[in-house]
Amino acid sequence: MYDYRLTPLEQTIERIYSTMDIREPHQLDVETISHKLGIWVHYAPFSSRAIDRGGLQSIVLDNRLSRQEQWQDFGHELCHLMHHAGNQLSMGESFIRLQETKATNFAYQFCVPTFMLLAVELPRLESEAAASIAAVFGVTSEFAGERLKRHRRQLTSARIAERLTAYFHAEEIVKRNQGIDYIVPTGGSRMLLCRERGVIGYMRDRDETD
């Protein structure tokens, strides 16, 4: 696999786990992590939520959920404790939606950390890959399927960015070597311009048949 660069959020999550000396999926556990972070975890028969009272942080997990769902909720509520402040009851609806979207994205990254996921050899078939993620990271099949889709989209975006960077870098080298100051698209070709010498040539664009 090529040298993938973690996003800022992925780097943050890796640092969080690094401070807790957690590097492997089998170490992902609600009780262990909450203890290391100094967060109280309680289980009750109502929807999961995060509570911060004067710096005393706790997470209540719905005891009617499966262990996998509780782990996912833990990741979601942990984001609220770490990055969000205030009582949602006094917030506008759009701001609440923004916080929930960020917490959901954080949960996908926290419950299935990218730096761990990159070390897992996944089957090519999407359904089998999702099943593998669910088993290794202790999440539901639905959560694993969505995490896989997000992961593959990110990998594709990173590859495209890497290729574009390489392309523009190569173009800059050619421009310097040939004394080209500007490359101007002209429809089917690109005009090569030099400030001192004017037009010094044309370069035909490749089409799909080339």
Side-chain angles (χ1 to χ4, degrees):
M1 178 164 185
Y2 76 104
D3 187 21
Y4 174 77
R5 294 184 181 181
L6 299 178
T7 66
L9 175 58
E10 291 167 343
Q11 291 175 20
T12 296
I13 289 174
E14 183 178 26
R15 284 195 297 269
I16 293 172
Y17 279 122
S18 180
T19 60
M20 295 186 287
D21 196 27
I22 293 177
R23 306 297 302 178
E24 303 291 337
H26 70 268
Q27 297 175 285
L28 300 176
D29 174 76
V30 169
E31 281 72 27
T32 299
I33 293 172
S34 60
H35 176 72
K36 287 179 179 288
L37 292 176
I39 296 172
W40 292 92
V41 172
H42 310 276
Y43 297 87
F46 50 78
S47 60
S48 301
R49 61 200 63 186
I51 302 171
D52 189 336
R53 290 177 177 160
L56 181 60
Q57 296 181 324
S58 60
I59 292 176
V60 180
L61 295 176
D62 191 337
N63 63 10
R64 298 165 297 181
L65 300 178
S66 68
R67 188 72 174 172
Q68 292 89 342
E69 291 169 319
Q70 288 173 350
W71 169 233
Q72 294 161 197
D73 274 10
F74 177 80
H76 184 101
E77 300 304 331
L78 181 61
C79 179
H80 288 311
L81 286 182
M82 287 185 160
H83 301 291
H84 302 152
N87 187 339
Q88 285 192 341
L89 294 177
S90 61
M91 297 177 185
E93 185 177 343
S94 60
F95 193 73
I96 292 175
R97 284 200 302 268
L98 176 62
Q99 283 196 344
E100 289 302 309
T101 297
K102 288 184 175 181
T104 296
N105 187 46
F106 182 92
Y108 280 117
Q109 298 284 352
F110 189 83
C111 295
V112 185
T114 298
F115 75 96
M116 294 186 190
L117 185 56
L118 290 170
V120 176
E121 187 172 345
L122 297 175
R124 288 186 175 275
L125 191 64
E126 185 170 321
S127 60
E128 293 179 359
S132 180
I133 291 173
V136 171
F137 293 93
V139 296
T140 64
S141 57
E142 295 80 9
F143 189 97
E146 177 61 24
R147 180 66 176 94
L148 178 63
K149 290 177 182 177
R150 291 172 180 236
H151 179 61
R152 287 182 169 171
R153 283 200 300 266
Q154 182 60 33
L155 290 179
T156 299
S157 297
R159 289 192 185 101
I160 291 173
E162 184 179 56
R163 289 170 184 166
L164 285 174
T165 299
Y167 170 81
F168 287 117
H169 179 66
E171 186 176 85
E172 285 302 314
I173 292 176
V174 171
K175 286 167 67 176
R176 285 198 301 269
N177 291 342
Q178 300 298 323
I180 300 169
D181 294 309
Y182 306 103
I183 299 179
V184 182
T186 60
S189 66
R190 284 178 286 176
M191 182 188 301
L192 310 180
L193 294 171
C194 173
R195 278 193 292 262
E196 295 180 355
R197 293 178 289 159
V199 178
I200 61 176
Y202 291 86
M203 184 166 54
R204 187 173 68 87
D205 291 337
R206 295 185 60 183
D207 58 35
E208 296 179 355
T209 61
D210 287 344

